[in-house]
Amino acid sequence: MRKVIVMTAILALTACGQESNDKIQRAKAASDTSTVQAPVARWAVEVKLGETQALSDLTARLLEHGYSSYISEIDGVQRVLLGPFTSRDEAQAMLTRLITQLDNLQARILELPVDKPAH
């Protein structure tokens, strides 16, 4: 994205007859400083009901109570997750709310791998 902005600025300056290296360098510097890093979602809440519970039954129960979940394969195992969250505190708040609202539920905070997308 940054290269597109720089190239657009260079082409615009060249088209206007202002090929000054100084202006091109300022356009590059402006595009470098405008880059914003989005927060990385690294936390999720893993939910289980029991070893024999079907994933579809668990996700349906969560949805009935207003929780939107997704299934992700981590370390070769399919897991039902809520989130992702950008901080452990957000995940902890969800875990606390979930445990107080639903019975017979096992849940834990899970740190997601950085190199893999959350979904």
Side-chain angles (χ1 to χ4, degrees), residues 22-93:
D22 182 45
K23 290 185 180 186
I24 293 172
Q25 292 305 321
R26 281 188 285 175
K28 286 182 181 179
S31 70
D32 288 343
T33 59
S34 66
T35 303
V36 177
Q37 291 277 335
V40 177
R42 294 186 47 213
W43 304 93
V45 175
E46 180 183 7
V47 183
K48 291 183 184 179
L49 276 177
E51 295 300 320
T52 59
Q53 180 73 34
L55 294 178
S56 58
D57 293 341
L58 178 55
T59 56
R61 181 174 178 206
L62 290 169
L63 193 57
E64 285 174 2
H65 289 86
Y67 294 99
S68 180
S69 63
Y70 64 97
I71 298 172
S72 181
E73 187 171 318
I74 300 173
D75 297 330
V77 178
Q78 288 188 329
R79 303 169 191 258
V80 176
L81 303 176
L82 300 174
F85 303 100
T86 56
S87 73
R88 186 175 178 86
D89 291 339
E90 289 179 34
Q92 182 63 50

